Amino acid sequence: MCGIFGYLNYLVERDRRFILDTLTNGLSRLEYRGYDSAGLAVDGDSEESAMIIKQVGKVAALKKLVDEQPVDFGKTFISHTGMAHTRWATHGQPCQINSHPHRSDDKNEFTLVHNGIITNYKEIKLLLTKKGYTFESDTDTECVAKLTKYIYDSQKDTPGFTFTSLVKAVAKELEGSFAFIFKSTHFPNEIVATRRGSPLLVGVKTAKKLKVDFVDVEFSNPLEPAASAPAKDANNFLSADAAGQPSQLLHRSQSRAFLSEDGLPQPIEYFLASDAAAIVEHTKRVLYLEDDDIAHIADGELHIHRLRRDDNDGTAATRSIQTLEIELAEIMKGSFDHFMQKEIYEQPESVVNTMRGRVNFEKHQVTLGGLRGYLPIIRRARRIVFIACGTSFHSCLATRGIFEELTEIPTQMDLASDFLDRRTPIFRDDVCVFVSQSGETADTILAMRYCLERGALCVGITNTVGSSISRESHCGVHINAGPEIGVASTKAYTSQYIALVMMAIQLSEDRVSMTERRKEIIDGLYLLPGHIKEVLAEAANLQKLASDTLAKEKSLLILGRGYQNATCLEGALKIKEISYMHSEGILAGELKHGPLALIDEAMAVILIMTKDSLFPKVQSALQQVTARKGQPIIICNKGDDDLTNNYKTIPVPQTTDCLQGLVNIIPLQLLSYYLALLKGQDVDFPRNLAKSVTVE
């Protein structure tokens, strides 16, 4: 959930002000991942010293503290390493001492930043306490810093001992999920990074083109001691004894990608981050680390090692250097006041981007290239299991009905955390669909690995290219909604919804009886961007409704049924998330089974009554509410005069039933936004939450 950022320059002269600004600006791009506190570590005035600056609150508070430091901001460094961190508290309250980076001792011999949770930190802490180590924070991360110092002190005299072998030894003792960046005064101008379960990527910036677009993975031999390295003679060649050993013992002394044409060291800068959004302003060439990779950057070269060699793990022998396709403007607010507002208003474009190149509106065909080779397997499935969390779960719920109607394959809905708690039976002829905006949601990834172990076909629906879900699933669909920075998801929900509808349409293409239904839905998709624009044009009326009617309320019920049940749940979640107002989405058919007891003249109610096959049943719910003196606000279709003349209404355009939820959610997103503004809340950074939930 935290955001980590690292910067290393080699043979590129940078002053301390540039380095500090690079680190704090990188953190600003990651602030959606956590904003309880922030900190950074940079080189001191000598290679043997490190300076740590930490502050409670957002990155802006850290920037202010950095500016107040009594240091020479004009001091230049030919080579330098720095790291930074923005925190979402898991262990210990938000305070300066619990902020990252954490250090091994008062001399800052080892400093590190961490995203994730170490589950066996109590055992490590107990061991180190018995060894005489003292702890200054309540965090799990400090245990790792102290453990690094302990292993270093006990193994530093071992022949061939390196920063990589030290981090490898540390990582082998850890349980849980993590992404780490390590820095040490014992290994100046070097950075080591490793990950397991939490995302981490490396950006590369050079003046010259790289020789190759990949980096070799340097596997160690299973029989070889962890810290050993092949013997070299004075000319840096492998000695005769080493050269005579089996080929897998050979270590590449240089990384091919970073050699210059003349063989001389190449000026280069590296950027490490939890998310590409922090890197794109510097470079678009990035490399995604896999679980148990250990990346070592020294002397301008990036080397990737593996924590352990398992010939059956299917790990590739290289890591490709990819080109980011996002633009800096996509992660800037532009003329909008908040990222959430920008992302709500981007939805007419983002839904088009999700469909672009996939929907042929003239021929009424859908082609999802990521699924093409697996369609026969999916059509033969015993059942389709949708697994997700939060907003992503709601997008699955919203499309379950159309999946069952078009494919006639039984479907099952599961929240990822509950799915794992129940140890749900999964079989080889099941198809499991995992939906996650970031592609890094911890519970969803663990559920996916559980299903992979049991032989099920795993399909990923994600917004992030290169994410864990997109890499580890058998096939999938990228929703192409563009970067989503606001913590409360808006455009990702509508794009996930459309991606799942398109998947259902393509799966049913072999069913002639569904031809007319598919045409109806595809025609609805064609008109959808215009319908969303119509709703957005009514934003001023929604703002007035929020201020005049809803802002004074303490609680809100949102009622609907059928396809609109998911809309109710998602709308209630948005209002909870950013306005901190209690809200509850209720299936209208369940009203008389308990929730009706809450209804009186003082209870705020929103009722979704757009016209579909269940409209008469929702009318019954309306009568039940008004009979108890309830005064509902009704989301209805334009032209429904019976409702607009007698109730407060929010008119929306009418579309086909299975797509109506895409139109109906827009006013609820806008209402949540305006309610948060009226209550003075921070829209983009709601308390206690973070965007990418990378811990269980």
Side-chain angles (χ1 to χ4, degrees):
M1 303 268 282
C2 305
I4 62 178
F5 186 80
Y7 172 64
L8 182 148
N9 57 300
Y10 176 74
L11 300 184
V12 179
E13 189 174 33
R14 299 295 189 193
D15 62 28
R16 182 174 277 145
R17 168 57 69 189
F18 177 90
I19 292 165
L20 290 168
D21 286 348
T22 299
L23 292 172
T24 52
N25 289 341
L27 281 192
S28 297
R29 303 268 185 251
L30 298 171
E31 199 165 25
Y32 68 88
R33 302 178 68 89
Y35 32 88
D36 296 329
S37 55
L40 56 83
V42 293
D43 290 350
D45 290 328
S46 68
E47 289 185 344
E48 291 74 32
S49 64
M51 178 171 63
I52 299 176
I53 306 171
K54 303 195 279 191
Q55 182 63 293
V56 179
K58 295 185 179 178
V59 174
L62 176 66
K63 286 182 178 180
K64 184 179 178 184
L65 183 62
V66 166
D67 291 339
E68 295 169 355
Q69 296 301 303
V71 296
D72 179 9
F73 290 106
K75 180 177 173 60
T76 59
F77 299 85
I78 298 295
S79 298
H80 179 279
T81 59
M83 62 174 71
H85 183 277
T86 181
R87 182 170 184 249
W88 185 81
T90 56
H91 297 74
Q93 294 183 357
C95 64
Q96 203 162 17
I97 204 70
N98 286 334
S99 304
H100 298 219
H102 283 286
R103 60 183 186 171
S104 59
D105 59 329
D106 55 8
K107 296 180 182 177
N108 301 338
E109 290 182 38
F110 294 94
T111 52
L112 56 88
V113 291
H114 170 217
N115 171 27
I117 288 182
I118 305 302
T119 54
N120 64 331
Y121 82 99
K122 289 183 179 178
E123 293 86 342
I124 296 171
K125 190 171 186 176
L126 180 62
L127 168 71
L128 295 174
T129 303
K130 289 180 179 178
K131 298 286 184 183
Y133 287 82
T134 56
F135 292 81
E136 56 189 8
S137 76
D138 301 320
T139 65
D140 53 339
T141 306
E142 189 186 2
C143 299
V144 182
K146 296 282 196 287
L147 178 64
T148 306
K149 164 80 170 154
Y150 170 68
I151 294 176
Y152 174 80
D153 288 341
S154 60
Q155 296 189 16
K156 61 184 177 182
D157 296 326
T158 306
F161 187 69
T162 64
F163 204 178
T164 301
S165 56
L166 171 59
V167 172
K168 190 179 291 189
V170 170
K172 284 181 177 177
E173 301 298 327
L174 304 180
E175 297 173 7
S177 67
F178 54 77
F180 282 110
I181 300 177
F182 291 82
K183 171 180 166 62
S184 174
T185 57
H186 297 293
F187 304 95
N189 301 324
E190 296 185 33
I191 272 185
V192 177
T194 185
R195 63 154 283 185
R196 182 191 301 154
S198 296
L200 193 61
L201 63 152
V202 182
V204 183
K205 183 179 182 181
T206 57
K208 299 178 182 177
K209 192 172 184 291
L210 296 176
K211 291 190 73 172
V212 292
D213 58 357
F214 60 87
V215 176
D216 297 301
V217 177
E218 303 176 27
F219 294 100
S220 61
N221 186 275
L223 303 175
E224 187 183 12
S228 66
K232 296 180 181 179
D233 62 22
N235 295 316
N236 205 39
F237 290 107
L238 290 171
S239 67
D241 291 341
Q245 292 177 359
S247 60
Q248 64 263 36
L249 287 182
L250 298 180
H251 289 232
R252 299 182 181 91
S253 60
Q254 290 182 305
S255 186
R256 286 184 277 175
F258 308 102
L259 291 173
S260 60
E261 295 295 336
D262 52 11
L264 295 174
Q266 182 175 196
I268 193 166
E269 294 171 279
Y270 290 96
F271 305 85
L272 298 90
S274 302
D275 189 334
I279 290 177
V280 67
E281 65 183 290
H282 303 289
T283 179
K284 289 193 175 183
R285 290 183 292 180
V286 299
L287 175 149
Y288 292 90
L289 298 181
E290 302 279 355
D291 277 357
D292 290 331
D293 277 354
I294 298 176
H296 180 207
I297 304 174
D299 298 327
E301 293 183 9
L302 167 63
H303 295 263
I304 296 179
H305 307 265
R306 291 289 292 167
L307 183 61
R308 53 181 65 87
R309 176 73 186 260
D310 181 353
D311 291 326
N312 296 319
D313 69 357
T315 303
T318 61
R319 299 287 178 267
S320 61
I321 298 172
Q322 303 174 27
T323 301
L324 292 175
E325 295 182 3
I326 61 173
E327 299 294 336
L328 184 59
E330 294 182 72
I331 56 172
M332 304 290 283
K333 278 187 271 199
S335 60
F336 293 95
D337 296 326
H338 299 92
F339 281 112
M340 182 182 179
Q341 182 190 25
K342 173 177 179 268
E343 287 152 11
I344 290 172
Y345 277 86
E346 282 178 341
Q347 287 176 108
E349 290 77 39
S350 63
V351 298
V352 170
N353 290 335
T354 303
M355 295 185 280
R356 181 172 283 120
R358 294 166 167 173
V359 183
N360 186 320
F361 293 106
E362 293 179 359
K363 296 182 179 179
H364 293 92
Q365 288 181 339
V366 171
T367 304
L368 297 172
L371 300 180
R372 187 181 290 121
Y374 293 87
L375 291 174
I377 300 172
I378 301 173
R379 287 173 180 142
R380 291 197 303 268
R382 170 205 294 234
R383 60 178 172 169
I384 299 176
V385 184
F386 293 96
I387 301 166
C389 302
T391 289
S392 298
F393 178 80
H394 296 156
S395 69
C396 298
L397 185 63
T399 53
R400 174 172 63 175
I402 198 63
F403 260 92
E404 291 175 334
E405 179 187 344
L406 291 180
T407 68
E408 293 191 346
I409 301 172
T411 62
Q412 177 179 325
M413 302 285 304
D414 273 293
L415 287 161
S417 55
D418 182 55
F419 176 85
L420 290 165
D421 291 345
R422 299 195 332 264
R423 298 193 64 81
T424 308
I426 291 293
F427 306 98
R428 293 182 64 182
D429 50 357
D430 287 334
V431 171
C432 300
V433 180
F434 301 89
V435 186
S436 166
Q437 187 280 138
S438 67
E440 301 290 350
T441 309
D443 287 325
T444 309
I445 291 171
L446 291 172
M448 180 178 66
R449 290 170 181 164
Y450 174 91
C451 296
L452 286 168
E453 289 172 2
R454 284 153 181 78
L457 178 70
C458 293
V459 181
I461 311 288
T462 177
N463 193 33
T464 311
V465 177
S467 62
S468 295
I469 288 177
S470 66
R471 292 199 310 272
E472 295 181 32
S473 54
H474 294 109
C475 58
V477 181
H478 284 114
I479 65 173
N480 298 333
E484 189 176 64
I485 308 299
V487 169
S489 182
T490 50
K491 66 177 182 177
Y493 172 76
T494 49
S495 287
Q496 286 170 349
Y497 192 134
I498 289 171
L500 289 165
V501 168
M502 290 193 299
M503 182 177 169
I505 292 170
Q506 187 166 19
L507 286 174
S508 70
E509 280 181 345
D510 61 339
R511 303 190 66 218
V512 178
S513 60
M514 290 294 167
T515 301
E516 290 306 313
R517 179 64 162 147
R518 285 196 299 272
K519 285 182 178 179
E520 177 193 348
I521 297 169
I522 291 172
D523 288 339
L525 289 172
Y526 179 76
L527 298 171
L528 183 63
H531 289 155
I532 294 175
K533 287 179 182 176
E534 284 185 52
V535 180
L536 292 173
E538 300 296 322
N541 294 332
L542 291 166
Q543 187 172 14
K544 188 174 188 300
L545 179 67
S547 61
D548 294 350
T549 306
L550 295 175
K552 64 181 183 292
E553 302 293 343
K554 300 291 184 188
S555 190
L556 171 66
L557 302 182
I558 307 178
L559 311 178
R561 68 186 296 163
Y563 286 111
Q564 304 315 313
N565 179 33
T567 309
C568 297
L569 294 172
E570 175 61 14
L573 178 62
K574 287 293 147 293
I575 291 166
K576 284 179 216 171
E577 277 183 304
I578 61 169
S579 72
Y580 315 149
M581 174 181 175
H582 172 257
S583 55
E584 190 175 347
I586 297 175
L587 185 66
E590 290 295 300
L591 193 59
K592 53 189 170 293
H593 296 291
L596 195 58
L598 295 169
I599 303 295
D600 59 18
E601 65 273 15
M603 174 60 72
V605 177
I606 293 178
L607 184 60
I608 302 178
M609 283 190 65
T610 44
K611 289 188 175 177
D612 57 22
S613 62
L614 299 177
F615 184 76
K617 294 186 177 181
V618 186
Q619 282 181 314
S620 173
L622 173 62
Q623 298 307 318
Q624 293 171 31
V625 170
T626 54
R628 275 77 182 178
K629 300 182 180 179
Q631 298 177 334
I633 299 166
I634 300 176
I635 297 177
C636 63
N637 290 129
K638 289 182 177 180
D640 194 338
D641 295 335
D642 289 343
L643 294 175
T644 53
N645 293 335
N646 297 299
Y647 302 95
K648 288 182 180 177
T649 58
I650 302 172
V652 297
Q654 184 171 356
T655 184
T656 185
D657 55 358
C658 66
L659 302 179
Q660 189 69 56
L662 289 162
V663 179
N664 293 352
I665 193 60
I666 307 297
L668 294 174
Q669 292 174 348
L670 287 167
L671 281 175
S672 67
Y673 174 74
Y674 291 128
L675 284 170
L677 290 183
L678 290 165
K679 293 173 181 286
Q681 312 298 0
D682 190 332
V683 174
D684 286 333
F685 303 110
R687 68 188 181 202
N688 307 333
L689 300 177
K691 179 79 178 164
S692 187
V693 187
T694 56
V695 295
E696 290 184 75

